[in-house]
Amino acid sequence: MAVTQQEIENRLWDAADELRVAMPEAQYSSVVFPLMFWKYLSDTWEHQHQKFLAENEDLGLTDEEAREVEYSIYQSFDIPFIHPGTVQKQRASWSSVLDTVTRPGLGQRVRASLQAIETANPDKFSRLFGSMTWTSEAVLPGEVLASVMRAMDRTPKMHEGNMSHDVLGGAYEYLLKRFSDGSGTRAGQFFTPREVVELIIELLTPKNNESVYDPTCGSGGMLIAAASLLKSHGGRGYTLSLNGQEAVTDTAGVARMNLFMHNLTEFKVEVGDTLRDPRFKKKDGSVKQFDVIVANPPYSLKWKPWTRDPRAIGGVAPQSSADWAFVQHMIASMDPKKGRAGVVLPHGVLFRGGQEAAIRKRVLDDDLLEAVIGLPANLFYSTAIPTAILVFRAPGTKAPERQGGVLFVDASKRFAKAKNRNILTAVDIADVVTAYNSKFDAEGNPVDSDGDGGLATRFVPTTEIVANGHDLNMGQYIKQA
């Protein structure tokens, strides 16, 4: 019988809830995601192993021949032995360690198993499980870890013969959201609300075989949404090249596991500070360029400004806020023929003066900014302030009717109230996309009154923005609700 989404979600939450006696909910993800992914790998490996045995039992293969056949056809990764060649050798699998949960040193055995899997699969799983500090008895007592593992073992087998990757990926995202709802502002470090992600991806419309890049990728939600949206529109999500950089090692591991759970294997997630040490580069040292760039960077981050960097078009962002530095990095990362970028930022980037005004002037002079979309307040876990999506296009690639101006869309009053924050509904998202795709008359107003999705919308010529001192504050150009 097929496993339902509700069933696996409930079982996984029961496992996570065992942690309540040992740590705050904000820390659950560092334990649950590695354990969940380990179980998924082990269940998948064992399923393929049993399939191999059933189909080859009559061939009389030697151990060496059998291993060669199994790993060339049946297995896409290795679950190795720990302590190979010794009497104590034990496979680094979920079931092997689960059999030992009553013995002392459980955390050490879990850590050794996860490290062995990383080492045996360097191309796929290098640094996948993060720092694993939770395997220390001082952080997570062995009896609590045993309770979590027993509870998680009550979930159905996590392999493609038992459940689809849609169910697996959905369960992973359920936990991400559940942890975020319970952990307050800390969630903003790794999780962007799903509906905001969907809106940005809808605006940028990834296409088959394109490259997608998120310079502050968190748990990888925007990369996954790009593939999911393309698939939902009849495209081939698996053809996308997915690329992300994340400053926090453990969060990068969460992203990698998230992508694997969604059956997305054409990805690269690097660790490092994107502004100081961009990890995606060309041979000449310049930043690599992509078709679609998406980001929800940390807002008004204090940083050490660049001294000399070709990304710094229009000037260098002030030490007090790296907002425009992230934008400059994204602009430099756009493919010159069809690159487009979407980023969520606080409203201050639209009107703050000084160095930021100089950068804003250069971006407008080069006609790189296509749209400013005002969002409601209190959408995010990390802040209650209103934000805006800025959409950029590579130089000279705007549609003819969008050149020499900026589209403004006010969606600030479009939301539904949820438990801890406001949310954008499916109708709100559809209306913003409709407004974004509007046609405009000579005054910049939508040609079709129904074509603006019921939102205040206007295409403003750059000359008008220049006359306002390159101020992009939405109230300057459209009447806000």
Side-chain angles (χ1 to χ4, degrees):
M1 187 173 69
V3 177
T4 66
Q5 191 78 51
Q6 187 72 49
E7 180 182 3
I8 189 171
E9 288 175 2
N10 288 344
R11 296 287 178 83
L12 287 169
W13 181 253
D14 288 344
D17 198 42
E18 294 289 338
L19 291 166
R20 67 188 183 282
V21 299
M23 60 179 57
E25 196 169 318
Q27 297 174 18
Y28 285 9
S29 61
S30 64
V31 180
V32 173
F33 287 137
L35 290 178
M36 179 183 175
F37 193 68
W38 180 31
K39 185 176 189 302
Y40 157 71
L41 291 178
S42 298
D43 288 351
T44 298
W45 187 93
E46 183 61 31
H47 173 69
Q48 293 299 108
H49 181 62
Q50 293 302 321
K51 185 176 177 181
F52 161 75
L53 294 177
E55 295 179 4
N56 296 277
E57 60 181 350
D58 298 330
L59 296 182
L61 300 173
T62 66
D63 288 346
E64 187 174 336
E65 289 170 337
R67 180 177 175 82
E68 184 174 336
V69 171
E70 182 169 1
Y71 279 91
S72 64
I73 300 174
Y74 293 83
Q75 303 289 10
S76 59
F77 55 86
D78 188 14
I79 301 291
F81 285 106
I82 303 175
H83 314 304
T86 69
V87 176
Q88 294 83 16
K89 79 172 184 179
Q90 170 184 304
R91 198 171 288 281
S93 67
W94 173 271
S95 58
S96 294
V97 177
L98 187 70
D99 289 340
T100 72
V101 293
T102 59
R103 288 167 34 199
L106 175 60
Q108 292 177 341
R109 291 191 296 281
V110 170
R111 184 184 186 92
S113 296
L114 301 185
Q115 288 176 332
I117 291 171
E118 289 181 334
T119 301
N121 303 275
D123 293 341
K124 290 184 172 69
F125 303 145
S126 175
R127 300 166 296 149
L128 180 74
F129 295 107
S131 62
M132 294 184 275
T133 54
W134 53 273
T135 59
S136 165
E137 182 80 20
V139 176
L140 185 63
E143 62 269 21
V144 179
L145 177 55
S147 296
V148 176
M149 291 184 66
R150 288 193 191 100
M152 189 171 289
D153 197 58
R154 291 193 283 272
T155 61
K157 293 294 184 182
M158 297 180 186
H159 58 74
E160 61 183 14
N162 200 42
M163 65 181 69
S164 71
H165 280 280
D166 288 341
V167 172
L168 273 170
Y172 197 96
E173 289 191 26
Y174 161 79
L175 288 177
L176 272 172
K177 184 180 184 304
R178 187 81 184 254
F179 295 152
S180 298
D181 285 341
S183 63
T185 58
R186 183 180 179 276
Q189 296 175 16
F190 65 90
F191 186 76
T192 301
R194 176 75 185 192
E195 68 275 11
V196 177
V197 173
E198 288 181 1
L199 174 54
I200 294 175
I201 299 298
E202 286 275 7
L203 297 174
L204 300 180
T205 59
K207 298 177 176 59
N208 289 337
N209 301 302
E210 287 195 321
S211 56
V212 183
Y213 170 54
D214 184 344
T216 57
C217 71
S219 59
M222 290 193 178
L223 301 177
I224 291 165
S228 299
L229 178 74
L230 181 55
K231 180 181 177 182
S232 70
H233 289 180
R236 301 186 300 278
Y238 61 86
T239 67
L240 293 177
S241 168
L242 304 174
N243 308 271
Q245 183 163 338
E246 168 56 42
V248 181
T249 301
D250 283 5
T251 305
V254 170
R256 295 187 187 106
M257 289 183 272
N258 199 3
L259 286 152
F260 272 112
M261 284 287 192
H262 284 82
N263 201 29
L264 296 168
T265 58
E266 293 300 312
F267 72 82
K268 183 177 288 188
V269 175
E270 298 286 354
V271 178
D273 182 332
T274 299
L275 298 181
R276 304 303 307 175
D277 181 25
R279 303 308 297 270
F280 292 90
K281 290 186 176 181
K282 299 178 184 178
K283 291 181 179 179
D284 65 3
S286 62
V287 295
K288 189 173 180 180
Q289 294 176 312
F290 303 90
D291 300 314
V292 177
I293 301 96
V294 291
N296 176 28
Y299 301 155
S300 302
L301 178 72
K302 290 181 172 59
W303 72 305
K304 184 178 179 180
W306 297 317
T307 50
R308 292 182 180 178
D309 197 298
R311 292 175 290 177
I313 63 165
V316 179
Q319 183 177 354
S320 59
S321 174
D323 292 341
W324 273 104
F326 281 112
V327 171
Q328 289 170 318
H329 174 79
M330 294 174 75
I331 288 172
S333 301
M334 289 193 296
D335 179 85
K337 294 183 179 178
K338 54 180 178 177
R340 61 264 193 209
V343 59
V344 189
L345 289 168
H347 277 232
V349 300
L350 304 176
F351 56 79
R352 290 192 295 244
Q355 293 157 277
E356 292 182 291
I359 299 171
R360 199 163 56 240
K361 177 181 183 302
R362 174 64 181 273
V363 167
L364 289 165
D365 288 347
D366 289 353
D367 202 20
L368 303 177
L369 179 63
E370 182 181 43
V372 176
I373 299 167
L375 298 178
N378 200 30
L379 281 183
F380 295 87
Y381 294 96
S382 54
T383 180
I385 64 173
T387 55
I389 295 173
L390 277 64
V391 180
F392 299 89
R393 298 270 173 178
T397 64
K398 282 188 185 180
E401 65 273 13
R402 293 287 176 92
Q403 293 178 8
V406 177
L407 171 66
F408 288 85
V409 179
D410 179 19
S412 61
K413 304 302 180 184
R414 297 294 296 271
F415 61 88
K417 287 190 174 294
K419 180 181 177 181
N420 296 324
R421 61 184 183 86
N422 297 328
I423 62 171
L424 295 171
T425 67
V427 172
D428 296 331
I429 293 171
D431 286 347
V432 172
V433 174
T434 296
Y436 174 76
N437 291 321
S438 296
K439 303 293 183 183
F440 299 92
D441 60 23
E443 283 72 44
N445 298 308
V447 173
D448 182 353
S449 59
D450 296 325
D452 58 4
L455 300 171
T457 306
R458 185 177 167 227
F459 180 76
V460 179
T462 304
T463 51
E464 184 176 339
I465 300 172
V466 171
N468 283 322
H470 300 90
D471 190 328
L472 295 170
N473 198 343
M474 193 164 293
Q476 295 263 26
Y477 307 105
I478 57 177
K479 185 177 180 181
Q480 295 179 275

